[in-house]
Amino acid sequence: MLRFVVRRLALLVPILLGLSILLFLWVRALPGGPAEALLGERATPEAVERVRRLYGLDRPWYEQYFTWVGNLLRGDLGVSTRTQHPVLEELLRTFPATMELALTAMIFAVGVGIPLGYFAARRHGSWLDHLSVAGSLFGITIPVFFLGYMLKFVFAEKLGILPTDGRQDPLLDVVHPTGFYVLDGLVSGNLEAFADAFQHLILPGIALGTIPLAIVVRITRASVLDVLHEDYVRTAEAKGLKPATIRGRHVLRNAMLPIITIIGLQVGLLLGGAVLTETVFAFPGFGKFIADSIMARDYAVLQGFILFTAVVFVLVNLLVDIAYGLIDPRVRVA
Amino acid sequence: MSLLKVEELSVVFRQRGREDVRAVDGVSFSVAPGETVGLVGESGCGKSVTSLAVMGLLPRRGVLVEGSIAFDGTELLTLPADKLRTLRGRDMAIVFQDPMSSLNPVVPIGVQVTEVLVRHRGLSSGEARAEAAELLRRVGIPDPARRLREYPHQLSGGMRQRALIAAALACSPRLLIADEPTTALDVTIQAQILELLKGLVADTGTALVLITHDLGVVAGMCDTVHVMYSGRIVERASRHELFASPRHPYTAGLLASVPRLDRPRGERLEPIQGSPRDTLPWSRGCAFAPRCRNRVDECARAAPELHGGSHSLRCFNPIEAKAVNR
Ligand SMILES: Nc1ncnc2c1ncn2[C@@H]1O[C@H](COP(=O)(O)OP(=O)(O)OP(=O)(O)O)[C@@H](O)[C@H]1O
Ligand code: SF4
Ligand SMILES: [Mg+2]
């Protein structure tokens, strides 16, 4: 198992290397080059030349590449042209909010999706099954921002049971040692802040988690249906095992394999969806920050964001691989 | 006194948009402790469905089961699900045909054996492990301690079937159903597995229902044989009678297609003409009529009834009985 993990970790190196080259080429390939992109269309040739020299763009491309990678390795992702702050600092400042939101969405999707998909499969052909299939189709097609506004309208504005936007009630007296507000409430012993931060996560979490939920329901249902027809489930029944043992050990354990793969793939989708969700709920995560950076053509930030997202994505899928290996002994050998 | 008594068992699969399939149609048989009873017939004749019905493993939706299945005097068809669960794996067990797909690929062999012990005998997992190692050894798996930790894909086909048998034997069931336990295995392993089952019946007095399409297997194992065709029993006799004097044309056809040492050299094997799909519904006559050499007019007009005592038959024009010396 350890060798398996090490091998998967080693695989990270070529992936990140390839990605860094792609990203590097992407910025070099921008119309008119990065300096022009930075200065806008009406920049004078002298200004362009000055900026090129300032950012080392006049040196050979391989030199530029190695300098850039060298900086990356030291954690230097460059400086945002929009805010003039280091990119890494900006990402770290906005990341916890998004992470908190994405986790909430994922917990919602998995926590509701797996049981729902399981029972839909168990009662294959029943009204619950049909409802889950129709519901998940609906969930996949509904646009995130539309759902976001609807939730906000109904639960925040009409019913007034949940907050409309932001991460925390500004009137609360709170400290933020970690940047994860729910966690902050707990570690600082401020239960009111904890509850408040949590309430702020509910609507955006549901809005962001609905598509993953729909996907998890569908995959779980299909996967459980497949497994229920397997001979080994019949063997388990023939042994007279308790229903709970059969469910956990002989159905879900096997059915989890495709499900966790899908969960891993959802991470990319979540980070994309976060941009929309954070806009709807004025949630100050990096989704909103990135949206602003795109408008401002802030390439250093976008580069950093893509790299960062890719690393998160790769790490999550590494976790998925490890989970896969833990569940399925056949993978460990392969 | 029989341990298992199946009477007039019928199983109908109802599928939306398709005609009902009567997979088992009025089957009766019984098994006594220490007895081995064979269910024989070509693919699709209803052997597995019969065994699943006895174990209560047929899906509840879309399947109609009628008749009576009495286990040690208890009617299983009306027994509540939780009561049936305590019988299954403890008092009655089944070994399935395909040892690869019948074992869970992501659960260690050890757990797949111990879970029965933990469930039915309330052993702690430590006790169960020791017992499981002993079981594996008994079914002829060398180095049981290591095998317990391994996964199905690390075992050979024969070893997997032994592991399944070990799980089935874990609680010393009084009834064991073996559904084509050797079909997926090569010949030497087949012989070993059959020896194992035979020894089990001899040692513990387990009642064994052996399901197979291979009359060679029957010849070495069974006391009584039931030949099935299209969901019904068409001939029933002691093994000795059946092999010496098969009377139903279908049984004779099956026997003629088995290589035998006592057959004159050079005699050709004759497979039964046609395939199991060339079947008449029993409602219209004898199901075997389209393939039968002995067919008479009556055969396509009504279904023959099963009659006779220890050697029963379902046929209008059976083969003459030979004098059987015992
Ligand atoms: N779930 C099901 N739905 C509909 N029909 C079924 C189902 N299971 C079995 N049958 C039908 O019941 C009949 C008997 O099947 P069964 O599996 O008992 O055959 P078998 O004698 O065990 O054959 P084999 O030697 O191939 O195992 C077949 O015609 C099959 O098509
Ligand atoms: S009843 Fe007729 S068709 Fe059927 S087996 Fe006997 S002789 Fe053949
Ligand atoms: Mg079968």
Side-chain angles (χ1 to χ4, degrees), chain A residues 1 249-250 253-254 257 323-333, chain B residues 99-100 102-113 129 136 141 143-157 159-161 163-164:
Chain A
M1 192 65 212
R249 187 180 294 157
H250 295 289
R253 201 180 159 127
N254 293 272
L257 294 171
Y324 218 105
L326 280 177
I327 295 180
D328 192 342
R330 289 165 300 182
V331 177
R332 275 176 246 162
V333 230
Chain B
M100 186 70 228
S102 298
L103 285 166
N104 189 335
V106 306
V107 175
I109 297 293
V111 175
Q112 301 194 54
V113 178
R129 274 192 94 74
L136 290 196
I141 295 182
D143 198 359
R146 180 172 66 116
R147 294 302 179 188
L148 283 179
R149 268 178 275 119
E150 290 188 337
Y151 290 88
H153 71 276
Q154 292 165 295
L155 271 58
S156 68
M159 208 105 75
R160 284 181 210 131
Q161 191 59 290
L164 274 172

Side-chain angles (χ1 to χ4, degrees), chain A residues 107-123 128 132 213 216-217 220-221 224 247 252 259:
Chain A
I107 290 170
F108 168 67
V110 170
V112 178
I114 291 183
L116 203 59
Y118 177 82
F119 285 109
R122 258 301 39 151
R123 305 198 187 356
L128 177 80
S132 84
L213 167 68
V216 169
V217 169
T220 305
R221 177 179 172 276
V224 169
R247 182 168 61 227
L252 278 178
I259 301 172

Side-chain angles (χ1 to χ4, degrees), chain B residues 248-249 286 288-289 292 294-295 299 304 315-317:
Chain B
H248 194 282
C286 172
F288 189 57
C292 183
N294 282 28
R295 186 177 52 228
C299 303
C315 180
F316 290 123
N317 186 21

Side-chain angles (χ1 to χ4, degrees), chain B residues 8-317:
Chain B
E8 291 297 319
L9 177 69
S10 290
V11 179
V12 180
F13 291 99
R14 316 185 122 151
Q15 292 148 314
R16 223 182 318 164
R18 265 191 279 170
E19 241 180 280
D20 290 357
V21 179
R22 190 169 276 271
V24 176
D25 193 358
V27 164
S28 304
F29 65 94
S30 61
V31 199
E35 188 188 18
T36 299
V37 165
L39 290 184
V40 191
E42 285 166 306
S43 186
C45 69
K47 307 181 296 285
S48 295
V49 172
T50 304
S51 67
L52 292 175
V54 171
M55 293 295 292
L57 291 174
L58 288 168
R60 243 163 293 158
R61 280 152 62 75
V63 183
L64 190 71
V65 183
E66 286 169 334
S68 157
I69 301 171
F71 179 80
D72 201 12
T74 308
E75 175 57 53
L76 298 185
L77 288 184
T78 52
L79 199 65
D82 56 329
K83 294 246 168 56
L84 194 56
R85 272 180 205 288
T86 55
L87 281 183
R88 275 206 299 256
R90 190 187 70 186
D91 298 293
M92 45 198 252
I94 184 166
V95 177
F96 292 109
Q97 174 168 347
D98 184 349
M100 186 70 228
S101 65
S102 298
L103 285 166
N104 189 335
V106 306
V107 175
I109 297 293
V111 175
Q112 301 194 54
V113 178
T114 54
E115 61 185 359
V116 197
L117 296 164
V118 172
R119 161 74 170 102
H120 294 295
R121 289 182 31 204
L123 299 190
S124 72
S125 60
E127 295 165 332
R129 274 192 94 74
E131 177 107 20
E134 173 57 26
L135 276 163
L136 290 196
R137 201 192 49 70
R138 226 174 86 202
V139 297
I141 295 182
D143 198 359
R146 180 172 66 116
R147 294 302 179 188
L148 283 179
R149 268 178 275 119
E150 290 188 337
Y151 290 88
H153 71 276
Q154 292 165 295
L155 271 58
S156 68
M159 208 105 75
R160 284 181 210 131
Q161 191 59 290
R162 285 167 200 268
L164 274 172
I165 293 176
L169 298 185
C171 296
S172 316
R174 290 186 285 161
L175 171 71
L176 181 67
I177 302 177
D179 186 355
E180 316 233 14
T182 58
T183 310
L185 307 174
D186 64 49
V187 185
T188 41
I189 311 289
Q190 271 188 25
Q192 292 170 9
I193 297 280
L194 292 175
E195 271 317 304
L196 176 68
L197 291 174
K198 217 171 176 174
L200 176 81
V201 174
D203 297 346
T204 63
T206 302
L208 177 65
V209 176
L210 186 68
I211 293 176
T212 178
H213 59 258
D214 184 347
L215 279 168
V217 170
V218 170
M221 302 274 301
C222 300
D223 303 312
T224 311
V225 186
H226 303 258
V227 181
M228 286 182 72
Y229 192 78
S230 192
R232 291 191 184 185
I233 289 175
V234 294
E235 182 163 16
R236 166 200 337 250
S238 70
R239 170 192 45 172
H240 189 68
E241 283 250 346
L242 193 88
F243 279 87
S245 172
R247 299 208 49 211
H248 194 282
Y250 176 61
T251 313
L254 284 179
L255 280 169
S257 56
V258 178
R260 281 174 67 166
L261 290 176
D262 61 357
R263 200 187 291 278
R265 271 169 150 260
E267 194 187 275
R268 294 254 310 276
L269 295 180
E270 295 173 67
I272 305 172
Q273 53 184 317
S275 85
R277 264 167 297 151
D278 310 323
T279 294
L280 207 63
W282 285 108
S283 55
R284 304 220 337 249
C286 172
F288 189 57
R291 304 168 69 189
C292 183
R293 288 166 197 270
N294 282 28
R295 186 177 52 228
V296 289
D297 288 348
E298 209 179 350
C299 303
R301 279 203 293 267
E305 293 298 320
L306 188 67
H307 51 77
S310 63
H311 190 159
S312 322
L313 272 179
R314 188 190 290 280
C315 180
F316 290 123
N317 186 21

